[in-house]
Amino acid sequence: MEIRVNATRMELLKLKNRVRMAQRGHKLLKDKRDELMKIFLGLVRENKEVRERVERLLGQAYRSFLVSRAVMSREALEEALMSSRDELKVSVALKQVMNVVVPQFKVEDADESSVYAYGLATTSAELDDALGAFAAVLPDLIRLAEVERSVEILADEIERTRRRVNALEYVLIPELEVAVKNIAMRLGEMERSNATRLMKIKDIVRGE
Amino acid sequence: MIPMSRIAFIGQRDAILGFKALGITVMPATDRQGALEALANAREQDYEIVFITEPVAREIQAELDELTQAPRPVVTILPDHRGSSGIGMARLKSRVEKAIGVDILFKEEGK
């Protein structure tokens, strides 16, 4: 789309200001994008690591839980689990990364021994193992939730920022520059035609 | 005041029952209907983190994708006792591709 304005000095000045402004915005957004990218890559790497670890540990925990389920009666197992502790609470803090808000979770009251809140007489040692394994992955699970959400949010933000950078770089700034050039040419042309007219008039005046 | 919140786990009952002992709310679900109900429940009750097992997550993929726009809950897909099918990694990969345009995450492993 071409920018159409009157070819006047006023408009030329205005356009030149807009070009400067757009270039400044472009540079800022580019810096933002690069910084977001840096944070994003770190998070992605962590995300991958945590997920691999979680998937491994969780697999082991599930296995020992299934074993414990096999050696205990269903009723005994359910009873043991029902009698367990209060709800686990997480606190949520919001962290700003380059103007993007990401959540941060923290487990309150992470007392591992409270996992075994059942009578020991009717339960098996395998259940203890399984619950211990679950408790051990829990911090990683919560970290995974946090990191994965952060990656999600940052991915959106990077995409948005990249669009804006590209729009400025490949659309707005070139258009503005073309418009500035056009006006400068029109003004030059007007000035030249004015000069020749004056010369002509001078000749006519002198001829009389 | 930091807001406090809770964790829910949606999945096949037998697999996730153990998490109950950790103080996580277990919401058993196996099919699409049950999963959607559980998810709606979790949202209603302001759970901050919702874990969901892979087979169940696959049932309600579209709904989960919509949820990524919402501020809460944070939904994380975890493998169940049958092991990981790589959904979680695939999601991570697609996010990287969306943000950067190319997949740089798994390239270095020669995939």
Side-chain angles (χ1 to χ4, degrees), chain A residues 41 44 47-48 51 55 62 65 69 78 87-90 92 105 108 131 145 149 152 156 158-159 162, chain B residues 2-6 13-15 18 23 25 48 70 76-77 79-80 84 92 95 98-99 104-105 109:
Chain A
L41 289 183
V44 163
N47 189 337
K48 189 168 165 240
R51 181 164 272 284
E55 293 190 347
Y62 280 135
F65 183 68
R69 223 194 56 198
E78 301 228 336
E87 279 192 320
L88 182 81
K89 294 264 201 297
V90 280
V92 189
F105 301 125
E108 301 292 314
L131 294 185
R149 172 43 67 100
E152 218 163 71
D156 277 353
I158 287 177
E159 203 197 5
R162 204 185 50 214
Chain B
I2 303 165
M4 298 293 282
S5 198
R6 298 164 299 168
R13 184 182 175 82
D14 288 339
T25 310
E48 190 67 37
T76 304
I77 299 176
D80 71 350
S84 165
L92 176 62
R95 272 177 218 140
K98 182 179 159 201
I104 53 158
L105 187 60
E109 291 165 21

Side-chain angles (χ1 to χ4, degrees), chain A residues 125-158:
Chain A
E126 284 83 0
L127 182 64
D128 296 353
D129 287 347
L131 294 185
F134 279 140
V137 260
L138 188 64
D140 272 339
L141 288 185
I142 289 166
R143 180 81 189 127
L144 182 67
E146 175 185 311
V147 172
E148 227 156 63
R149 172 43 67 100
S150 304
V151 163
E152 218 163 71
I153 296 173
L154 280 179
D156 277 353
E157 186 67 19
I158 287 177

Side-chain angles (χ1 to χ4, degrees), chain B residues 46-109:
Chain B
D46 267 344
Y47 281 94
E48 190 67 37
I49 306 178
V50 174
F51 295 121
I52 188 159
T53 56
E54 277 178 7
V56 179
R58 213 171 300 125
E59 293 288 324
I60 55 170
Q61 192 86 53
E63 283 80 5
L64 290 183
D65 286 342
E66 260 167 52
L67 260 189
T68 59
Q69 305 300 323
R72 73 170 50 175
V74 175
V75 179
T76 304
I77 299 176
L78 296 175
D80 71 350
H81 56 285
R82 275 161 293 192
S84 165
S85 63
I87 275 201
M89 280 298 175
R91 273 169 85 92
L92 176 62
K93 206 169 132 174
S94 80
R95 272 177 218 140
V96 173
E97 270 168 16
K98 182 179 159 201
I100 304 180
V102 283
D103 170 27
I104 53 158
L105 187 60
F106 297 93
K107 217 167 48 187
E108 54 211 17
E109 291 165 21

Side-chain angles (χ1 to χ4, degrees), chain B residues 17-28:
Chain B
L17 200 59
F19 280 98
K20 199 164 176 10
L22 303 178
I24 291 176
T25 310
V26 168
M27 299 179 168

